Amino acid sequence: MLLAVDAGNTNVVFALVKGRTIKARWRIATDPRRTADEYAVWLSQLLALEGYERSAIEAVIIATVVPRALHNLQVLAQKYFGSEALIAGRAPVPWSMAIDVDEPQTLGADRAVNTIAAHALHDGDLIVIDFGTATTFDSSDYAGTYKGGIIAPGINLSLDALVSAAAKLPRIAIEAPRGNGSVIGRNTVDQMNIGIYWGYIAMIEGLVARMKAEIGRPVKVIATGGLATLFEQHTDVFDVIEPDLTIQGLAIMYQNAHIA
């Protein structure tokens, strides 16, 4: 079994993977101060609930955009799983793709892993949209070369900023607006919901349209991240949703390195 770890700005996702099949996944809030021992207590209990022993884990691979969290995750792998963690993007699991941008060293690990996974699963030119702390749009060509992308504030981040800056606005849940589809709200909560939800869809559709026009070839749009399904019901901009794209990418990178 492989323990794949995706350490993002908001959450750290742990997934138990056999081959390319995800057997279980767990999520914990990202805290760079969290120690390896704290991770181990939490994770051991969850493994037991799913019927797995710690000894079932033979290898650990990590992708992180939070450098301060990496050390404790490496200690977790070494101390509790007897494994030197593989770090996505470093030997022996370097990026298995060309990165055609001005500053390739600044590409986030999650975005690189997503691109690798997307091209292992789909052919042609691709746009990968990842709904996380930020919403990222990543473009790669038919050869799998990463060509660049867009970084926009995540929808939760946008809502938090709005509520924090406007004293009389309430905190609301992000959901598809109710009713007849009107975009003229009749009360404050509805107006906020319309602005956040439909405003975000308008941004997604507008940016994807501009990216497709610039690419100039047929493009498949892949969505990932927890909020992708929230928007799917009111836009046809996504060709496919791959909810576990980053974890799938880590499993693919491990398999490629292991086979090699």
Side-chain angles (χ1 to χ4, degrees):
M1 289 277 199
L2 171 69
L3 182 66
V5 184
D6 172 22
N9 289 298
T10 302
N11 292 305
V12 183
V13 178
F14 293 81
L16 202 58
V17 186
K18 186 171 184 179
R20 294 191 184 183
T21 302
I22 298 171
K23 295 293 189 178
R25 68 179 67 73
W26 307 282
R27 187 180 300 265
I28 192 170
T30 301
D31 183 352
R33 299 169 299 175
R34 201 183 309 276
T35 66
D37 300 328
E38 289 175 300
Y39 280 124
V41 170
W42 171 82
L43 191 55
S44 295
Q45 292 176 329
L46 291 170
L47 282 165
L49 286 172
E50 296 284 349
Y52 294 104
E53 299 286 340
R54 278 196 289 125
S55 58
I57 295 173
E58 300 172 312
V60 179
I61 186 169
I62 301 169
T64 183
V65 294
V66 186
R68 287 178 56 213
L70 179 58
H71 173 70
N72 286 327
L73 290 169
Q74 289 176 295
V75 174
L76 170 71
Q78 186 177 55
K79 183 176 180 181
Y80 290 98
F81 299 110
S83 174
E84 290 294 330
L86 301 170
I87 312 302
R90 302 182 188 175
V93 282
W95 306 133
S96 55
M97 63 177 183
I99 303 175
D100 183 18
V101 294
D102 292 341
E103 299 174 337
Q105 73 279 5
T106 65
L107 178 62
D110 53 346
R111 301 172 74 183
V113 173
N114 283 349
T115 300
I116 290 167
H119 276 279
L121 299 170
H122 303 278
D123 295 326
D125 289 79
L126 304 177
I127 294 171
V128 176
I129 308 175
D130 189 353
F131 295 92
T133 306
T135 297
T136 56
F137 300 71
D138 291 307
S139 171
S140 51
D141 67 15
Y142 52 86
T145 300
Y146 181 84
K147 304 297 288 187
I150 298 167
I151 301 173
I155 191 168
N156 284 301
L157 201 62
S158 299
L159 181 58
D160 288 344
L162 177 63
V163 172
S164 297
K168 294 186 70 176
L169 293 183
R171 186 165 295 279
I172 64 170
I174 298 171
E175 57 185 2
R178 298 167 300 226
N180 59 5
S182 172
V183 293
I184 302 176
R186 303 277 291 172
N187 58 67
T188 298
V189 170
D190 284 351
Q191 290 171 20
M192 291 176 66
N193 202 11
I194 290 165
I196 288 289
Y197 188 85
W198 287 115
Y200 223 74
I201 284 182
M203 179 194 75
I204 295 165
E205 292 177 339
L207 290 177
V208 168
R210 287 176 177 268
M211 291 177 77
K212 284 183 171 181
E214 187 169 333
I215 293 166
R217 294 185 297 270
V219 181
K220 179 176 285 188
V221 179
I222 300 167
T224 191
L227 290 173
T229 54
L230 175 66
F231 299 110
E232 180 188 23
Q233 57 188 308
H234 285 118
T235 180
D236 59 2
V237 74
F238 309 140
D239 292 301
V240 64
I241 292 180
E242 300 281 4
D244 296 303
L245 196 61
T246 310
I247 296 299
Q248 288 174 307
L250 287 172
I252 289 165
M253 292 182 70
Y254 172 75
Q255 274 195 322
N256 291 343
H258 195 62
I259 292 169

